[in-house]
């Protein structure tokens, strides 16, 4: 699977299939701090990312 991380910007590849929660663990990311997007769809932690999928991992940004 191809993973595009937005902050800092980088592209990595992992072997799939994997649950989104397992990707967070492998990349040492805090799940509450990031969104995972496949195409136009937001993914939940229990969804499976297939080996041929491309996803984007974006940080959650809040402001006031």
């Amino acid at each position: 699977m191809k993973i595009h991380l937005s902050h800092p910007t980088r592209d990595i590849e992992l072997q799939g299939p994997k649950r989104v929660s397992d990707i967070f663990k492998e990349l040492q990311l805090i799940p509450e701090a990031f969104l995972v997007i496949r195409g136009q769809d937001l993914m939940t932690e229990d969804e499976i990312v297939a080996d041929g999928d491309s996803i984007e991992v974006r940080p959650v940004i809040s402001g006031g």
Side-chain angles (χ1 to χ4, degrees):
M1 75 187 67
K2 294 181 182 181
I3 302 172
H4 176 75
L5 291 117
S6 296
H7 188 73
T9 301
R10 63 182 186 215
D11 293 311
I12 60 172
E13 290 197 31
L14 297 176
Q15 293 295 319
K18 291 183 188 275
R19 290 190 188 279
V20 170
S21 59
D22 294 329
I23 294 169
F24 283 137
K25 287 177 189 173
E26 191 164 334
L27 298 178
Q28 299 179 352
L29 299 174
I30 300 168
E32 295 80 15
F34 293 90
L35 301 173
V36 177
I37 302 159
R38 179 173 51 199
Q40 298 294 319
D41 298 324
L42 187 62
M43 299 184 75
T44 61
E45 288 186 57
D46 62 333
E47 289 188 74
I48 301 289
V49 181
D51 196 37
D53 286 348
S54 292
I55 61 172
E56 182 175 357
V57 179
R58 292 186 193 168
V60 174
I61 299 173
S62 62

